[in-house]
């Protein structure tokens, strides 16, 4: 599978790679996604151009923690 920003639907989706009939899985919704990154620990980072933030998500727990923001008071400890 692979992960994409769906700007039209304002969400991050996980698409099946080979099974074209399998449904797409919504990982993050209500986001103006402008970029994605996976680190070596398989954590997903999503940049949100509308809110000017970068949020880190643990796979399986898609609550998310803001790790970078235009207003640094919103940023959590990056560990």
């Amino acid at each position: 599978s692979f992960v994409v920003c769906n700007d039209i639907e304002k969400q991050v989706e996980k698409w099946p790679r080979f099974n074209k009939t399998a449904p797409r899985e919504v990982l993050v919704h209500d986001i103006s996604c402008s970029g994605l990154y996976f680190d070596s620990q398989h954590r997903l980072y999503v940049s949100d151009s509308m809110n000017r933030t970068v949020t880190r998500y643990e796979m399986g727990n898609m609550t998310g923690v803001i790790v970078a923001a235009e207003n640094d008071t919103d940023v959590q400890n990056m560990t």
Side-chain angles (χ1 to χ4, degrees):
S1 63
F2 56 99
V3 177
V4 298
C5 288
N6 182 337
D7 193 40
I8 295 169
E9 299 292 329
K10 300 290 186 209
Q11 58 194 19
V12 177
E13 301 171 342
K14 183 177 179 182
W15 290 9
R17 189 168 184 182
F18 298 110
N19 184 352
K20 297 182 189 228
T21 61
R24 298 173 185 168
E25 178 184 352
V26 176
L27 300 177
V28 181
H29 50 82
D30 297 323
I31 190 167
S32 294
C33 178
S34 58
L36 300 170
Y37 174 77
F38 278 97
D39 67 12
S40 62
Q41 297 171 345
H42 305 289
R43 295 180 293 195
L44 173 64
Y45 294 79
V46 181
S47 60
D48 183 339
S49 58
M50 182 68 78
N51 294 314
R52 298 176 187 245
T53 59
V54 176
T55 304
R56 180 183 65 219
Y57 298 92
E58 304 278 344
M59 297 309 284
N61 176 12
M62 301 310 287
T63 303
V65 174
I66 296 172
V67 295
E70 185 174 25
N71 178 356
D72 287 338
T73 60
D74 295 333
V75 177
Q76 301 294 315
N77 184 8
M78 290 186 64
T79 55

